[in-house]
Amino acid sequence: MATLATQFKAALSRIEPKVDAENAAEAHKLVTAALKADDKLKKLGISTFIIGSYGRDVSIKRVKDVDVFMRLEKATDSLRPSEILDHVNDVLEDVFPGQVTRQHRSVMIEFPDFDLSVDVVIARPCVDHPTEHWQIPEKIEEDGRASWIETNPIKMSELTNKANDDFLLSTDGVYVPLVKLIRQIRRTWVDEQPGGYYFEVLAYHAFQDLEPDKNTVAEYLCVILREIADRLPDYVTDGPDDPTLDEHTITTKATKEQIEAAAERIAEAAQLAEDALEDKDICASALKWQELLGKTQQTKEPEFVFALPEACNADGTEKPRGALVKGAPAVPAGRDRYA
Amino acid sequence: MNDLDQALQVAAEVTSTIAAAAAAAHPRETGGVLLGWWLDERIMVHHAVEVPDPDATQGSWVRDYDTAQVALQEALGDQGHPWLGYVGDWHSHPANFGTSSQDLTSIQRAANQYDHPLVLLVHRTDGVVEAVITASANHPLIRGLIPDSPERGTT
């Protein structure tokens, strides 16, 4: 069984958005400072929280946007989204002239030096469950009124942390690294939709339902990927349950055809992972893992996420050994005592 | 280049792994297997794996086939290097004494099962790592200190 722990460790490092994370933290700090300095937002009880994959530490290279959840804790149901969006837009435009775009339910600030943007998502306490979760504008009408949609992104951060504490590889959390690998596989194998969050939720359910306890990243990846592949065809009509809101399901822009296509592709990917794990030839196995994880995306110079061992050729064969003799496949028979 | 250099190359990771395991097990002995390959009669050691002996004492560590073979196979799967395999043993001495006659007897007995010489590394509490290369058709038994030990020499 080729578990290739050393190569998986390097692969995870290769998709880690190190520089982006530093830039994202700085951009978030600048935006939050600008928002919190405004008197009107102070009166509305502004409190910010980083959400999205970057906020949950499950983002992979590259991070192109950072979502800031701007909670207005003292806002009432009379709050007009159109008005508050205009106000936030003006506040940010003063501080970041020419970098701000008012969007559907958020305000985006671009940071060209960092090649990323920050999305400020405005939220008010949920009218029906004000102590439990939040509402964000779903659709703003011409008169400035809006329909609101319930959301609870902070809960997802809490669930992510707990899952990473619950599922371990040796003594380290394995849930977060696995979500990163699943996100990378989605980028490699699925056309655009469903998106990364959809697959993150599928991975979350797979962990909760299977409660896997494995010894290597490779084994975890195989069981989680297989579970996702088996479950995806069930979600052609309705998405998976939303782990943050009772009786809600995850919505996606994906069409029925896109879900079906994704299910087929992920089934292929799951089979490839299982073949890679079972392959006793290390170079052949490594080539399969490399195909599964693909290349880094949105980077200047895409590189394979999973590097082949130095003794392997690019086609998955072994380099000529010449006078080299492989180490023995077995330890000495019996017992030897050292003193 | 002395006899030991010609017969052995040890990756830095190997000695650091052994030192960490020795410190964790102190004052009992611990040990394990060495992974690498042979190249032109030279033993190339790339990786050290600890093989716990539940009955290890301050003066003894035993390599048991079943336990060691499982550890070897897991390490080979994890390392992902097609040339790696068993090339010898290592163990720690929780005092500043080096290779014992029992050590020499055990590694030579083990080497009789292979076509190529084996290496034994012995970690002392002063950080020195002694090396023994078993006798082969091309050379007699070789002993010395591996390069990053505080002192070195060959006999």
Side-chain angles (χ1 to χ4, degrees):
Chain A
M1 186 165 68
T3 53
L4 303 173
T6 303
Q7 282 73 22
F8 267 106
K9 190 176 176 185
L12 281 161
S13 176
R14 215 163 277 124
I15 56 175
E16 192 63 32
K18 301 180 191 80
V19 175
D20 286 338
E22 290 168 13
N23 290 338
E26 178 63 16
H28 165 252
K29 194 169 87 177
L30 295 170
V31 170
T32 300
L35 294 169
K36 287 189 171 176
D38 180 70
D39 287 339
K40 181 171 181 176
L41 296 176
K42 277 188 206 167
K43 283 177 188 164
L44 285 168
I46 181 174
S47 165
T48 60
F49 190 89
I50 305 178
I51 57 172
S53 61
Y54 167 72
R56 292 188 299 281
D57 193 28
V58 294
S59 59
I60 57 175
K61 195 189 287 178
R62 282 217 43 234
V63 175
K64 298 290 278 186
D65 53 57
V66 178
D67 297 323
V68 175
F69 200 54
M70 190 183 81
R71 296 169 291 187
L72 299 175
E73 294 177 344
K74 295 176 185 171
T76 65
D77 60 1
S78 65
L79 182 73
R80 295 277 185 99
S82 165
E83 182 190 331
I84 194 68
L85 274 170
D86 284 343
H87 180 72
V88 169
N89 188 81
D90 292 345
V91 169
L92 293 171
E93 185 63 38
D94 283 347
V95 182
F96 308 102
Q99 297 172 236
V100 180
T101 306
R102 185 185 186 285
Q103 301 189 122
H104 195 54
R105 65 172 67 150
S106 64
V107 178
M108 181 179 73
I109 311 97
E110 289 183 274
F111 288 87
D113 290 348
F114 297 158
D115 192 23
L116 59 77
S117 62
V118 174
D119 262 7
V120 178
V121 181
I122 296 165
R124 71 178 191 185
C126 179
V127 173
D128 297 326
H129 315 93
T131 59
E132 292 170 28
H133 45 260
W134 301 85
Q135 289 178 315
I136 58 176
E138 184 174 37
K139 184 182 176 188
I140 299 173
E141 308 293 352
E142 286 181 2
D143 65 357
R145 293 183 183 280
S147 53
W148 295 80
I149 184 168
E150 290 179 48
T151 185
N152 201 359
I154 296 165
K155 177 80 173 175
M156 197 61 195
S157 294
E158 293 167 359
L159 294 175
T160 299
N161 292 338
K162 183 170 186 319
N164 206 45
D165 289 342
D166 288 345
F167 300 105
L168 302 175
L169 182 58
S170 185
T171 55
D172 297 327
V174 75
Y175 174 75
V176 163
L178 256 290
V179 170
K180 287 174 187 265
L181 291 175
I182 293 293
R183 280 177 168 268
Q184 175 63 29
I185 290 167
R186 183 205 73 82
R187 283 189 184 178
T188 304
W189 288 75
V190 176
D191 290 334
E192 204 63 33
Q193 293 293 335
Y197 182 67
Y198 194 91
F199 276 84
E200 183 181 334
V201 170
L202 290 175
Y204 178 81
H205 286 307
F207 266 97
Q208 297 301 320
D209 293 348
L210 298 177
E211 297 185 348
D213 182 12
K214 301 292 180 185
N215 294 319
T216 63
V217 170
E219 291 168 286
Y220 270 111
L221 188 54
C222 279
V223 296
I224 296 301
L225 203 50
R226 172 55 64 193
E227 181 71 3
I228 292 174
D230 289 348
R231 290 280 202 89
L232 256 177
D234 298 338
Y235 301 130
V236 170
T237 314
D238 293 314
D241 288 344
D242 185 340
T244 71
L245 291 171
D246 292 340
E247 297 175 10
H248 284 65
T249 55
I250 300 295
T251 56
T252 173
K253 293 174 187 166
T255 61
K256 175 176 175 289
E257 289 73 25
Q258 284 176 313
I259 299 277
E260 287 170 344
E264 275 185 33
R265 290 289 284 158
I266 294 301
E268 285 176 42
Q271 185 61 54
L272 184 61
E274 288 159 2
D275 291 347
L277 185 65
E278 289 308 313
D279 202 325
K280 289 184 171 60
D281 183 317
I282 286 173
C283 291
S285 169
L287 188 66
K288 292 185 176 93
W289 290 121
Q290 184 172 82
E291 184 185 349
L292 179 73
L293 290 167
K295 291 185 174 181
T296 55
Q297 297 193 11
Q298 299 175 331
T299 53
K300 282 179 186 167
E301 292 178 10
E303 59 176 349
F304 281 115
V305 169
F306 195 95
L308 299 182
E310 60 174 337
C312 302
N313 291 312
D315 64 357
T317 57
E318 195 180 315
K319 287 179 180 171
R321 295 202 304 274
L324 185 146
V325 176
K326 290 183 182 186
V331 302
R335 291 161 59 86
D336 284 305
R337 188 172 78 88
Y338 292 98
Chain B
M1 185 177 279
N2 60 38
D3 290 348
L4 188 65
D5 289 333
Q6 289 178 335
L8 177 68
Q9 180 174 306
V10 179
E13 180 204 311
V14 172
T15 49
S16 60
T17 299
I18 290 174
H26 190 82
R28 296 197 312 167
E29 288 195 7
T30 189
V33 294
L34 298 169
L35 276 58
W37 58 82
W38 293 275
L39 180 61
D40 295 328
E41 290 297 318
R42 196 178 191 200
I43 306 175
M44 315 292 282
V45 183
H46 265 235
H47 196 62
V49 179
E50 186 175 16
V51 180
D53 170 11
D55 300 320
T57 66
Q58 293 186 26
S60 170
W61 171 82
V62 173
R63 173 185 21 75
D64 170 72
Y65 173 81
D66 290 337
T67 315
Q69 186 61 23
V70 168
L72 173 70
Q73 284 173 338
E74 282 182 1
L76 293 179
D78 284 352
Q79 287 298 307
H81 196 308
W83 299 342
L84 285 180
Y86 173 81
V87 293
D89 295 327
W90 68 270
H91 72 288
S92 63
H93 281 171
N96 284 338
F97 58 84
T99 314
S100 68
S101 57
Q102 177 66 53
D103 295 343
L104 294 175
T105 300
S106 292
I107 193 66
Q108 195 61 55
R109 190 201 77 81
N112 292 339
Q113 301 179 40
Y114 300 90
D115 294 334
H116 298 274
L118 295 181
V119 56
L120 172 67
L121 299 181
V122 180
H123 179 274
R124 305 187 334 207
T125 48
D126 59 2
V128 171
V129 179
E130 291 190 14
V132 174
I133 310 293
T134 57
S136 74
N138 294 330
H139 59 71
L141 185 131
I142 299 171
R143 298 176 63 173
L145 305 181
I146 67 166
D148 54 354
S149 289
E151 315 165 24
R152 61 183 308 218
T154 56
T155 57

